[in-house]
Amino acid sequence: MRVHVVDHPLVAHKLTVLRDINTPSPNFRQLVDELVTLLAYEATRDVKTEPHEIETPVAPTVGVRIAEPMPLVVPILRAGLGMLDGLTRLLPTAEVGFLGMQRDEETLEAVTYANRLPDDLTDRHCFLVDPMLATGGTLVAAIDYLLERGARHVTAVCLLAAPEGIEVLSTAVGDRADVELVVAAVDEKLDENAYIVPGLGDAGDRLYGIV
């Protein structure tokens, strides 16, 4: 598994504002959208293309276009929804699937409550979006869902990751597939409640309020 921390001053600036407890939900949502667009630029670097002949106003030429089957973007509900537009803005032809997962606060295991994915993901480049990689349980379960359906190239896009979660994810993935993690930052650690430190709090609550 490859880990790509996007080192860019705009990413660092927007992430700092996201972390601030005083940033209200409307600003938080907008910043997440902007930040994911920046991360998506790096996350899509290896997207598969094919030659494509066109006519310019001057002469014929051969360019490239996104190859079929089209990429699949999979937000992990509910917080991942706040990242969807930022990625599909750069991949407007991508299809979108959904996984509803939440962490059991006692066992810290991922519990799946919704699944809207194609049955066959053979040769699809899948992009998983979820704001936080904490213990790694949710992302491991989501990647397993994709691999069981034939995916072999998965890119996970997260705002923040904890070292513990990265280790769990790397061990779980092993050599089963080509998996890349793209993040804005890798933070210090998890606390006793398995929250990322310094982190930015509960991303879902800050995006949509406490439900």
Side-chain angles (χ1 to χ4, degrees):
M1 187 187 80
R2 293 166 290 139
V3 178
H4 183 184
V5 180
V6 179
D7 183 14
H8 192 284
L10 287 180
V11 170
H13 167 78
K14 293 177 188 299
L15 182 58
T16 299
V17 182
L18 279 182
R19 292 185 190 274
D20 192 337
I21 193 173
N22 296 309
T23 299
S25 287
N27 300 78
F28 191 91
R29 286 193 294 269
Q30 179 180 349
L31 283 164
V32 167
D33 183 71
E34 295 171 358
L35 184 53
V36 173
T37 299
L38 295 173
L39 298 180
Y41 180 79
E42 294 298 331
T44 55
R45 186 174 293 277
D46 293 332
V47 72
K48 189 183 297 183
T49 60
E50 61 186 9
H52 181 53
E53 296 181 3
I54 61 168
E55 292 275 349
T56 79
V58 179
T61 188
V62 179
V64 298
R65 64 182 176 187
I66 305 299
E68 294 188 355
M70 286 298 170
L72 179 71
V73 179
V74 183
I76 298 177
L77 306 179
R78 69 177 167 140
L81 280 177
M83 302 173 66
L84 178 59
D85 287 348
L87 189 52
T88 55
R89 184 174 294 112
L90 293 190
L91 280 177
T93 58
E95 293 185 341
V96 179
F98 296 92
L99 274 176
M101 291 182 163
Q102 62 186 20
R103 185 174 70 175
D104 186 304
E105 295 302 329
E106 292 185 4
T107 66
L108 303 182
E109 297 294 325
V111 178
T112 302
Y113 62 86
N115 172 14
R116 294 289 293 175
L117 292 176
D119 291 331
D120 185 5
L121 296 177
T122 303
D123 294 329
R124 300 287 289 270
H125 188 163
C126 299
F127 293 87
L128 277 170
V129 289
D130 194 22
M132 316 294 278
L133 170 56
T135 62
T138 299
L139 209 53
V140 167
I143 290 174
D144 283 342
Y145 260 87
L146 300 181
L147 298 187
E148 289 168 4
R149 286 159 175 77
R152 288 295 174 267
H153 191 177
V154 179
T155 301
V157 182
C158 301
L159 302 180
L160 295 178
E164 297 91 332
I166 292 175
E167 183 176 353
V168 166
L169 184 61
S170 179
T171 300
V173 169
D175 58 359
R176 293 184 295 158
D178 180 11
V179 175
E180 181 180 20
L181 173 66
V182 178
V183 296
V186 176
D187 275 9
E188 297 173 15
K189 61 179 181 178
L190 295 178
D191 66 12
E192 62 275 9
N193 297 313
Y195 279 91
I196 298 176
V197 178
L200 50 76
D202 188 298
D205 288 349
R206 297 196 66 186
L207 279 164
Y208 303 120
I210 299 173
V211 179

